[in-house]
Amino acid sequence: MNDQNVYTLINQQNGNLAFKIFSFNNNSHFDNLQRNNYYSIIWVKQGEGLLKVDFSEYQFTDNTLFAFSAYQPFMFSTHGKISGVAIQFHSDFYCIYQNPADAKFTTALFNNIYEAPCFGINQETGKRFDFLINELKHEFSNQENQEYELLVPILKILLINASRIKDKSNQTSTKIVDSSVPYILHNLKIKIEHHFKKKHSASQYASLLNISPNSLSKLVKSHFNKTLTELIVERIIIEAKRELYMTNKTIKEIAWSLGYNDEYYFSRLFKKSTEVSPQLYRNSVGFGKAELN
């Protein structure tokens, strides 16, 4: 289905959204809490406002690109009009967790809990994205071919470009921050990556870093705009989502692998973070079946 501003591809097997690209000229699409079972790339070309996402808030202006993962809660609050383009796709359409070669850029773009899910783009990048977006729309308009084979390759190029730009943006912004703060938080990120499956409390990480829990919590809050506990839980939930998508492990097995002996406690934690149960997440987002060996 498509009209001048909306191009939509539906999964004929289950009726769910597979891929969608559309233009917008107001905030009606995003002025209420979004928690979708698909990924979203939103480019605000003109306008400014406040992004509310997870436990954080970020101011944005013209030419800001946003990347939201499946079930990540977000909404835009604006006083005036915003305009731009949005691309939404289901993980089954673009097998985002199944290609190991894509893991680096997809994690940096969609699942990096340490960075804001948005970044500014310059005029040159805007032209490049406009070209890729027009190519996506052109694929829909090709009446001779209704298989849409080029949608995924073009989308992949766009995502890789966005990931690289976000990475450069983060590197630039880090240079102006007090080096004493990122150093210990860099170590914190390493510790969380190494221990999140076994260590779940803020005090455990404070002990690993030889700093008081209160001091570490203040640093985390000031730099990441979220609590240390939220940071740890977000990393656990990201891994849980990957397990639910990529494997056919039971919920109990996944809970156990993440350090939870009580699968019901784990399920409550997952639902509190995502507002859906682990089983519903698996059913709606899907998981790698026989393709994974």
Side-chain angles (χ1 to χ4, degrees), residues 238-257:
I238 286 173
E239 192 68 18
K241 286 180 177 180
R242 288 175 176 162
E243 290 287 306
L244 289 165
Y245 182 81
M246 294 183 66
T247 76
N248 57 5
K249 292 179 182 177
T250 65
I251 307 301
K252 184 176 182 179
E253 289 173 326
I254 294 173
W256 182 267
S257 70

Side-chain angles (χ1 to χ4, degrees), residues 6 27 74 96 103 168 170 200 213 216:
V6 182
N27 193 29
F74 73 91
I96 200 161
K168 289 181 180 178
N170 290 338
H200 301 158
L216 183 59

Side-chain angles (χ1 to χ4, degrees), residues 164-175:
R164 289 174 176 173
I165 294 164
K166 182 180 181 183
D167 185 54
K168 289 181 180 178
S169 175
N170 290 338
Q171 290 176 4
T172 301
S173 63
T174 300
K175 293 178 182 178

Side-chain angles (χ1 to χ4, degrees), residues 29-293:
H29 296 281
F30 315 113
D31 62 359
N32 54 78
L33 186 65
Q34 308 290 301
R35 197 183 288 269
N36 308 309
N37 69 334
Y38 45 77
Y39 292 78
S40 297
I41 295 288
I42 302 172
W43 176 14
V44 175
K45 293 186 174 183
Q46 293 183 318
E48 59 184 34
L50 180 70
L51 164 67
K52 299 179 180 180
V53 56
D54 293 320
F55 305 99
S56 304
E57 295 183 351
Y58 303 93
Q59 296 286 343
F60 68 87
T61 56
D62 295 347
N63 280 314
T64 300
L65 196 75
F66 303 85
F68 303 110
S69 62
Y71 288 109
Q72 184 174 19
F74 73 91
M75 66 177 291
F76 294 154
S77 177
T78 64
H79 295 296
K81 288 187 175 181
I82 60 173
S83 60
V85 61
I87 300 173
Q88 300 170 328
F89 58 94
H90 195 279
S91 53
D92 284 345
F93 172 78
Y94 183 94
C95 298
I96 200 161
Y97 287 146
Q98 291 183 294
N99 187 346
D102 295 343
K104 181 178 179 180
F105 80 79
T106 54
T107 297
L109 191 59
F110 292 109
N111 284 327
N112 191 334
I113 63 175
Y114 309 111
E115 308 292 348
C118 54
F119 53 94
I121 57 176
N122 59 28
Q123 185 176 12
E124 179 183 355
T125 301
K127 289 180 180 179
R128 192 184 315 158
F129 283 174
D130 271 329
F131 172 79
L132 293 170
I133 289 167
N134 287 332
E135 288 296 300
L136 289 170
K137 293 178 178 179
H138 177 73
E139 181 70 359
F140 270 101
S141 303
N142 186 355
Q143 298 299 321
E144 297 178 0
N145 174 21
Q146 295 299 312
E147 297 299 324
Y148 308 113
E149 294 103 328
L150 292 180
L151 286 181
V152 170
I154 297 171
L155 176 61
K156 181 175 181 178
I157 294 172
L158 190 149
L159 295 178
I160 291 175
N161 275 272
S163 176
R164 289 174 176 173
I165 294 164
K166 182 180 181 183
D167 185 54
K168 289 181 180 178
S169 175
N170 290 338
Q171 290 176 4
T172 301
S173 63
T174 300
K175 293 178 182 178
I176 64 174
V177 180
D178 182 0
S179 60
S180 65
V181 175
Y183 177 77
I184 193 168
L185 294 183
H186 174 72
N187 284 341
L188 172 63
K189 289 189 283 186
I190 294 174
K191 297 298 184 184
I192 291 176
E193 288 299 316
H194 286 174
H195 301 290
F196 73 88
K197 293 182 180 181
K198 294 183 178 180
K199 299 183 185 298
H200 301 158
S201 72
S203 61
Q204 288 175 307
Y205 290 95
S207 178
L208 288 173
L209 294 168
N210 295 314
I211 185 174
S212 73
N214 186 51
S215 297
L216 183 59
S217 295
K218 288 181 178 179
L219 285 174
V220 170
K221 186 67 175 180
S222 64
H223 195 72
F224 297 133
N225 199 27
K226 59 187 68 176
T227 69
L228 178 52
T229 297
E230 289 165 352
L231 207 64
I232 299 165
V233 170
E234 284 181 25
R235 183 62 187 90
I236 293 168
I237 297 303
I238 286 173
E239 192 68 18
K241 286 180 177 180
R242 288 175 176 162
E243 290 287 306
L244 289 165
Y245 182 81
M246 294 183 66
T247 76
N248 57 5
K249 292 179 182 177
T250 65
I251 307 301
K252 184 176 182 179
E253 289 173 326
I254 294 173
W256 182 267
S257 70
L258 293 173
Y260 295 96
N261 297 329
D262 186 345
E263 68 173 296
Y264 299 105
Y265 176 86
F266 166 75
S267 294
R268 290 194 298 271
L269 179 72
F270 188 94
K271 187 172 184 179
K272 182 179 179 181
S273 299
T274 66
E275 291 194 353
V276 294
S277 68
Q279 190 60 54
L280 180 57
Y281 179 86
R282 167 171 279 171
N283 292 344
S284 56
V285 173
F287 65 97
K289 305 178 182 65
E291 295 90 342
L292 295 171
N293 297 314

